[in-house]
């Protein structure tokens, strides 16, 4: 078991398996993309599996495959199948924009995927294209419907609302759960990278807007995920709605996660660039015990909390979100 310097058990790893993406969401990636890592800098799947095996030996049980867009990388379903086979791995979930998901669903089911988080910020085709700069709503929606229908794992829909862009869509997005067994979750926009340029809609405000349409919200104590979402039931919706209010309700005291970037850097907190490079020692032939010790030593430095909304001079993360897995 890995415990950090503040007594938190670390058992969840978010893996960014690529920094590339087929979309350019306004709050995440610049229009012309970001300079991608050269091919050799990106971890090969064997290297990723080796690091995941070491992590699971240290007590990491849950893995989230993310990016960039994980489904633009060839071989992702096979990688997920291999990851699921590692001893000690209890859960592997995927975060995707859904553009390429539909045809891969059978393979992902076969691989044993334990959960799908589909990111979707608008139900208006034009607005979806405007906000993602190049995506199409139809394939994402078709994938959402098919994933719910196949029903091999829970499906969550992640939405980031921004004032003046899609802030009016909370009821329409939550309303998907009138007919689909989907957990709709509203993620507060975080002031990271391009996210600093837009105005978030605080979770409490989203909840008020939902209550105005669906009726009173009832807190739901069910444990629907590994993360910090707080869930409420609304009349007429098949599943509770989740709120992830990283900024207005800090949940750092229960943070159980670390992150691995596509080029093999272990990161400890979204807001800080503190961490260490695991890929170089791995490629230089370090033993698994040496890498494990490096991970333990790094985890011991995990910051106590993020400081969004405060001035942070040192170690502030300057990456865009696609590089650190969301
Ligand atoms: N491409 C995949 C996707 O969109 O689901 C996986 C990577 S993406 C970086 C993961 C999640 O991070 C998405 O749900 C996205 O909306 C969210 N995200 C990106 N930038 C954000 C920000 N500044 N604040 C809050 N969430 C953000
Ligand atoms: Fe790509 Fe996901 Fe970032 Fe949108 S949020 S640009 S889909 S990585």
């Amino acid at each position: 078991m890995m415990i950090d310097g503040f007594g938190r058990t670390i058992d969840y790893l978010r893996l960014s398996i690529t920094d590339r993406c087929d979309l350019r969401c306004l709050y995440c990636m610049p229009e012309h993309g970001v300079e991608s890592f050269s091919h050799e800098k990106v971890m090969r799947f064997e290297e990723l599996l080796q690091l995941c095996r070491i992590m699971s030996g240290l007590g990491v049980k849950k893995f989230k495959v993310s990016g960039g867009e994980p489904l633009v990388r060839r071989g992702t379903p096979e990688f997920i199948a291999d990851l699921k086979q590692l001893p000690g791995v209890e859960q592997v979930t995927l975060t995707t924009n859904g553009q390429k998901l539909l045809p891969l669903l059978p393979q992902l089911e076969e691989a044993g995927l334990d959960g799908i988080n589909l990111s979707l910020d608008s139900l208006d085709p034009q607005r979806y294209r405007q906000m993602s700069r190049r995506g199409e709503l139809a394939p994402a929606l078709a994938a959402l419907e098919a994933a719910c229908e196949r029903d091999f794992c829970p499906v969550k829909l992640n939405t980031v609302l921004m004032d003046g862009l899609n802030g009016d869509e909370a009821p329409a997005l939550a309303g998907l759960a009138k007919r689909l067994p989907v957990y709709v979750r509203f993620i507060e926009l975080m002031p990271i990278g391009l996210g600093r340029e837009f105005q978030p809609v605080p979770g409490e405000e989203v909840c008020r807007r939902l209550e105005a349409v669906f009726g009173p919200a009832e807190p739901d104590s069910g444990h629907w995920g590994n993360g910090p979402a707080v869930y409420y039931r609304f009349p007429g919706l098949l599943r509770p709605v989740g709120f992830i209010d990283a900024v207005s309700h800090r949940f750092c005291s229960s943070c159980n996660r670390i992150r691995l970037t596509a080029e093999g850097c272990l990161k400890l907190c979204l807001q800080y660039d503190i961490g260490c490079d695991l890929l170089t020692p791995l490629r230089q032939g370090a033993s698994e015990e040496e890498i494990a010790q490096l991970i333990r030593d790094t985890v011991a430095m995990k910051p106590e909390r993020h400081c969004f909304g405060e001035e942070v001079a040192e170690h502030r993360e300057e990456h865009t979100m696609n590089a650190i897995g969301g």
Side-chain angles (χ1 to χ4, degrees), residues 16-24 29-30 32-42 68-69 72 262-263 319-320 322-323:
S16 172
I17 63 167
T18 176
D19 61 328
R20 292 168 199 242
C21 187
D22 44 355
L23 303 187
R24 298 283 182 271
M29 270 228 211
H32 300 294
V34 287
E35 202 183 324
S36 269
F37 308 127
S38 65
H39 197 61
E40 313 83 71
K41 274 183 125 186
V42 173
E69 171 50 40
V72 300
E263 86 275 37
H319 281 100
T320 47
N322 69 300

Side-chain angles (χ1 to χ4, degrees), residues 242-253:
F243 295 87
I244 303 179
D245 304 342
V247 184
S248 59
H249 293 126
R250 189 183 272 150
F251 32 70
C252 305
S253 62

Side-chain angles (χ1 to χ4, degrees), residues 80-157:
I80 289 173
D82 292 342
L83 184 53
K84 280 282 294 185
Q85 296 303 315
L86 292 182
V89 172
E90 290 179 6
Q91 188 189 79
V92 179
T93 55
L94 173 76
T95 297
T96 172
N97 61 32
Q99 293 289 302
K100 296 188 162 46
L101 177 61
L102 182 62
L104 295 174
L105 281 171
Q107 249 184 300
L108 291 167
E109 179 172 2
E110 180 109 332
L113 186 68
D114 296 297
I116 296 173
N117 288 16
L118 199 151
S119 305
L120 195 146
D121 296 329
S122 176
L123 288 173
D124 175 273
Q126 243 179 318
R127 195 185 268 173
Y128 182 93
R129 206 171 310 125
Q130 179 207 351
M131 289 184 64
S132 63
R133 288 208 190 89
R134 53 190 66 181
E136 295 295 334
L137 176 63
L141 263 189
L144 172 70
E145 305 229 358
C148 289
E149 198 168 307
R150 291 185 85 94
D151 195 26
F152 62 91
C153 64
V155 180
K156 294 174 181 159
L157 186 137

Side-chain angles (χ1 to χ4, degrees), residues 159-181:
T159 289
V160 176
L161 292 181
M162 288 165 288
D163 247 352
L165 273 170
N166 60 343
D168 57 341
E169 288 200 57
L173 286 154
L176 284 168
K178 282 199 268 189
R179 58 182 187 90
L180 295 173

